[in-house]
């Protein structure tokens, strides 16, 4: 996605939230959780290894927030696709966060991630983003 956007010089039609939703769904269906690019090589992986699927989803999510396309379709597919730890990892949440993952809403995340600048939720964002860590 990123290469195609850069190749076209940023002009034309860019990805929208449904593009990212579809790409994450494809990653989930076509990539195996046990496909490790690094680790012990025994098939079980190691605690520090990430699956290829998770790497692809993280890269897609990074591009999604860079383009300001994080919205309900993306959050929904992430919650339905990833386990709790992977979801916290992708969404850059603190490990000790006490917020229910299934009750997360777009307004719980930085406004910069979703082109919501100037919305009435902007003030809520500054207070709720304290529970999230940015990397």
């Amino acid at each position: 996605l990123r290469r195609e956007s850069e190749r076209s010089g940023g002009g034309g039609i860019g990805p929208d939230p449904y593009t990212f939703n579809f790409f994450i769904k494809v990653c989930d269906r076509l990539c195996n959780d046990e496909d490790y690019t690094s680790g012990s090589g025994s098939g079980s992986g190691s605690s520090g290894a990430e699956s290829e699927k998770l790497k692809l989803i993280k890269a897609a999510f990074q591009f999604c927030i860079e383009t300001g396309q994080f919205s309900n379709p993306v959050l929904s597919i992430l919650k339905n696709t990833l386990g709790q730890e992977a979801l916290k990892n992708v969404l850059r949440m603190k490990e000790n966060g006490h917020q229910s993952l299934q009750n997360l809403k777009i307004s719980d995340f930085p406004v910069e991630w979703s082109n919501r600048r100037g919305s009435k939720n902007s003030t809520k964002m500054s207070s709720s983003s304290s529970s999230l860590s940015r990397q």
Side-chain angles (χ1 to χ4, degrees):
L1 291 172
R2 183 185 308 269
R3 273 188 254 155
E4 184 60 33
S5 177
E6 290 170 354
R7 189 170 59 109
S8 67
I13 298 173
D16 66 10
Y18 295 97
T19 306
F20 292 104
N21 175 292
F22 181 75
F23 184 80
I24 291 167
K25 189 180 295 187
V26 168
C27 291
D28 179 49
R29 300 227 172 120
L30 296 180
C31 295
N32 188 346
D33 283 321
E34 286 78 36
D35 289 339
Y36 287 92
T37 57
S38 62
S40 64
S42 65
S44 62
S46 66
S47 61
E50 276 187 354
S51 68
E52 190 66 23
K53 172 179 155 179
L54 185 57
K55 287 180 184 181
L56 288 169
I57 290 173
K58 284 174 75 171
F61 181 73
Q62 177 64 36
F63 187 42
C64 177
I65 61 174
E66 285 174 7
T67 56
Q69 298 300 315
F70 183 58
S71 65
N72 286 324
V74 178
L75 181 58
S76 176
I77 194 70
L78 289 172
K79 290 193 299 189
N80 292 326
T81 300
L82 300 173
Q84 288 189 351
E85 293 307 311
L87 183 61
K88 287 180 186 178
N89 182 335
V90 170
L91 294 176
R92 304 170 184 182
M93 297 177 70
K94 292 182 179 175
E95 287 297 319
N96 60 355
H98 299 291
Q99 189 168 17
S100 168
L101 295 176
Q102 288 305 312
N103 293 328
L104 289 172
K105 301 177 299 247
I106 294 299
S107 60
D108 295 327
F109 297 92
V111 70
E112 299 83 21
W113 288 10
S114 59
N115 273 342
R116 293 178 290 122
R117 290 172 183 86
S119 72
K120 60 184 177 183
N121 292 332
S122 294
T123 55
K124 183 180 176 189
M125 285 303 302
S126 59
S127 64
S128 67
S129 62
S130 63
S131 66
L132 302 172
S133 82
R134 294 185 195 173
Q135 293 179 341

